[in-house]
Amino acid sequence: NDFCKGTNEFWKNLVIEPVRNYVEIQPAGTAESDVLSKLTAPPEVPGIPRPVWLTILGSVPTALGWYGYYKFSVEEELYQYELQTGKQITGCGGYGTLFPFVYGIIIGFPLKLLHVPFGDTIVTMAGLWILIGQANLYRRVNELCNEDGEVKKMMGLEEPPLHGWWALLPPPLDVVVGLRQVHFLSEYWRFKRGEEYDKDIIAEELFPFISSERFTLKEFVTEPKRWFWFTKNMEDFEILK
């Protein structure tokens, strides 16, 4: 608890006041329901449901720039949710998770280009920090989905949905678990806020692996029904099983 709180506060103090004021945590329902409002809203508790289609809509046109804001927001929402509900703090919040990486890249990358000692080390440590934070996020999403029996039932889950260690795998497998995290965290917050169901065509139709029950690497490779909308009716590759 103390480490997570201290880390978040330390990095928060290094962010300029106008930014801190803009992203100050808000109660649920503060943001309007239109797309632009959701994309630009400050974090809320319980968190804002951000389905996969919305996350892609914000991330692709901005060359993943908006995804940085998504990362900050979901980490800060989980951190504040744990604080407000008296749970053990198991993450460093938006400030403590994102900004060590941001400052590490801003400082380390130019030093690396100039062949200054420790520049490469700073970049590597920044990447390692954000990777650890991502794996920890997967673990926390699993815990959320598993701790509330009613929500777990409503989400149709029999077990935690994510394999956290997939964060260590090379693309595209790390993207697979990342998209699943976006989907299941969004659904969790939707249930907690009592919001109506709004079908995510990206996660539930076009790329069914995103919303599927948890599967192993072997199942993912041998079961085309999980891949795309046009492979849903394909037979499993029994020879590989």
Side-chain angles (χ1 to χ4, degrees):
N1 274 7
D2 290 342
F3 173 78
C4 293
K5 290 179 181 178
T7 301
N8 194 58
E9 285 301 315
F10 173 82
W11 291 97
K12 183 177 182 178
N13 290 331
L14 298 181
V15 176
I16 59 175
E17 186 174 358
V19 173
R20 295 201 308 266
N21 291 340
Y22 181 81
V23 298
E24 188 70 27
I25 200 76
Q26 301 295 318
T30 301
E32 298 293 332
S33 60
D34 62 280
V35 171
L36 183 60
S37 295
K38 281 193 172 184
L39 288 173
T40 58
E44 298 182 3
V45 174
I48 298 173
R50 302 175 183 87
V52 174
W53 70 263
L54 182 72
T55 305
I56 292 175
L57 181 64
S59 300
V60 173
T62 60
L64 296 181
W66 182 85
Y67 182 78
Y69 186 62
Y70 169 86
K71 178 66 175 174
F72 170 86
S73 296
V74 298
E75 291 283 356
E76 190 65 13
E77 286 170 345
L78 283 171
Y79 175 80
Q80 295 295 335
Y81 179 71
E82 290 171 340
L83 275 177
Q84 293 184 22
T85 56
K87 299 177 183 294
Q88 182 176 354
I89 310 301
T90 58
C92 294
Y95 293 100
T97 301
L98 182 66
F99 282 97
F101 171 75
V102 171
Y103 286 133
I105 296 300
I106 291 175
I107 295 171
F109 192 67
L111 294 178
K112 180 180 178 180
L113 290 178
L114 296 171
H115 304 289
V116 175
F118 304 114
D120 189 57
T121 301
I122 293 173
V123 171
T124 300
M125 293 301 292
L128 182 61
W129 180 260
I130 203 70
L131 180 61
I132 292 172
Q134 193 70 7
N136 188 46
L137 176 61
Y138 299 157
R139 179 192 61 79
R140 296 163 81 195
V141 170
N142 275 343
E143 288 185 352
L144 287 174
C145 293
N146 203 47
E147 70 181 9
D148 190 322
E150 183 178 353
V151 171
K152 183 179 178 181
K153 182 178 180 181
M154 293 173 69
M155 294 176 70
L157 296 173
E158 296 183 357
E159 59 182 336
L162 309 177
H163 290 292
W165 64 271
W166 281 32
L168 305 177
L169 295 176
L173 294 173
D174 60 338
V175 178
V176 169
V177 68
L179 290 170
R180 285 173 59 77
Q181 171 264 302
V182 171
H183 173 73
F184 286 104
L185 181 58
S186 176
E187 284 295 281
Y188 177 82
W189 287 137
R190 181 176 72 82
F191 283 118
K192 294 298 286 188
R193 291 164 65 121
E195 295 186 4
E196 294 183 1
Y197 170 71
D198 185 14
K199 187 173 185 177
D200 186 343
I201 190 172
I202 299 293
E204 299 178 56
E205 287 290 336
L206 300 182
F207 303 97
F209 68 83
I210 297 175
S211 58
S212 167
E213 72 278 2
R214 188 161 77 165
F215 48 83
T216 64
L217 278 175
K218 184 177 181 180
E219 288 171 334
F220 184 58
V221 171
T222 60
E223 298 177 2
K225 64 185 180 182
R226 302 182 188 273
W227 300 349
F228 309 107
W229 71 98
F230 55 85
T231 62
K232 280 185 177 181
N233 297 322
M234 289 180 60
E235 297 292 331
D236 294 349
F237 298 138
E238 296 292 343
I239 194 172
L240 299 177
K241 287 192 172 184

